[in-house]
Amino acid sequence: MDTVIVTGEQQIDIPAWVVDFESFRRWLESEEFPEQGKVCFIHGKVWVDLSMEEFLSHNMLRTEIGAVLHTLMRQTKFGRFVSEGMRYVHAETELSTEPDGMVISDAALRDGRVHLVGGKKGDQTQVVGSPDIVIEVVSRSSEVKDAEWAMAAYFDAGITEYWVIDGRDEDDLRFDIFKRSKKEFTAARKQGGWVKSAVLERSFRLVLADGERPEFTLEVR
């Protein structure tokens, strides 16, 4: 099978018997599966990212997004925010990823559109189905994946909104919300830096306070 590997100074060995989605899932549940890095199965390919995470443009940005959405979920009782590290699976389209965040509505869990399932490594270790929102924070090693492979895969998996956030260029911060059209995701229109989530019925704007202690703020209205 075709394999795409993005690495820092590390590498992992993909077993020869990992040849399709089902064998990838067996690998995922085995003791051979790596504990470090992000390993995904997208459009018939294994994608591996073992690169070091950048402090401000990825880690701190993802933390801010998560804090705001977690608080919003508590306030609105809409559902749950799921942070980075949770395995997401859509079996029908043979997709297995670890997004930087997800929003799962209580309605999606209640109606069975999303299930929390376990495996050999514990209970409720995977989100299976079609969450309302999937979020990816772009890094140098994930740029092509987030903009092309993952976007198409998440659309096929029935995701309602796909958020792509890029804080690497402080003069050109990117906060895009893509909504479903008939055949693909299309970008929601922005006004004054604000972009609306139809799912959450809120508008968001990402800003960066510069200076000695630069910090991201995700504004909500």
Side-chain angles (χ1 to χ4, degrees):
M1 69 180 298
D2 290 331
T3 302
V4 175
I5 303 178
V6 181
T7 63
E9 296 179 354
Q10 307 177 64
Q11 66 180 32
I12 66 167
D13 294 323
I14 301 174
W17 52 266
V18 178
V19 296
D20 55 18
F21 180 66
E22 288 307 316
S23 55
F24 177 85
R25 295 185 74 176
R26 291 199 301 274
W27 181 38
L28 176 67
E29 293 292 338
S30 75
E31 296 301 322
E32 298 178 55
F33 197 78
E35 296 183 0
Q36 302 296 324
K38 185 174 289 190
V39 184
C40 307
F41 192 91
I42 306 172
H43 286 162
K45 297 179 180 181
V46 177
W47 184 88
V48 180
D49 188 355
L50 299 174
S51 58
M52 300 291 286
E53 188 169 88
E54 294 185 2
F55 175 74
L56 180 64
S57 66
H58 202 96
N59 190 282
M60 290 294 96
L61 176 53
R62 188 180 62 216
T63 298
E64 170 66 6
I65 301 298
V68 170
L69 290 180
H70 175 66
T71 300
L72 186 61
M73 293 302 99
R74 284 192 160 187
Q75 292 173 345
T76 63
K77 308 298 184 185
F78 176 83
R80 299 295 184 98
F81 172 75
V82 182
S83 60
E84 185 266 348
M86 190 77 185
R87 175 66 51 173
Y88 167 57
V89 175
H90 191 268
E92 292 80 2
T93 58
E94 300 190 342
L95 173 65
S96 179
T97 68
E98 286 187 17
D100 285 304
M102 291 179 277
V103 172
I104 306 172
S105 66
D106 288 344
L109 290 167
R110 189 168 54 246
D111 298 342
R113 181 158 48 89
V114 174
H115 301 275
L116 301 176
V117 303
K120 295 180 181 179
K121 296 184 178 181
D123 298 329
Q124 295 188 345
T125 55
Q126 299 180 21
V127 172
V128 178
S130 301
D132 300 79
I133 298 172
V134 169
I135 301 164
E136 295 286 6
V137 178
V138 179
S139 62
R140 179 173 52 85
S141 59
S142 73
E143 189 168 359
V144 174
K145 175 187 76 74
D146 295 338
E148 298 178 17
W149 303 354
M151 182 176 292
Y154 289 141
F155 181 85
D156 293 342
I159 302 302
T160 305
E161 282 185 359
Y162 178 45
W163 294 18
V164 179
I165 304 161
D166 190 345
R168 292 175 297 167
D169 186 349
E170 61 184 40
D171 297 320
D172 187 24
L173 299 181
R174 178 185 178 190
F175 188 97
D176 289 326
I177 294 178
F178 293 91
K179 56 185 180 180
R180 296 185 68 82
S181 62
K182 288 185 178 181
K183 296 183 178 181
E184 61 185 1
F185 283 120
T186 58
R189 190 176 358 178
K190 293 182 180 179
Q191 187 171 9
W194 290 92
V195 59
K196 185 173 183 179
S197 165
V199 169
L200 300 181
E201 298 182 338
R202 298 287 192 282
S203 292
F204 298 87
R205 182 171 66 178
L206 182 67
V207 297
L208 175 62
D210 206 353
E212 294 183 4
R213 193 173 186 270
E215 195 164 33
F216 287 105
T217 299
L218 182 61
E219 300 176 338
V220 186
R221 68 180 186 186

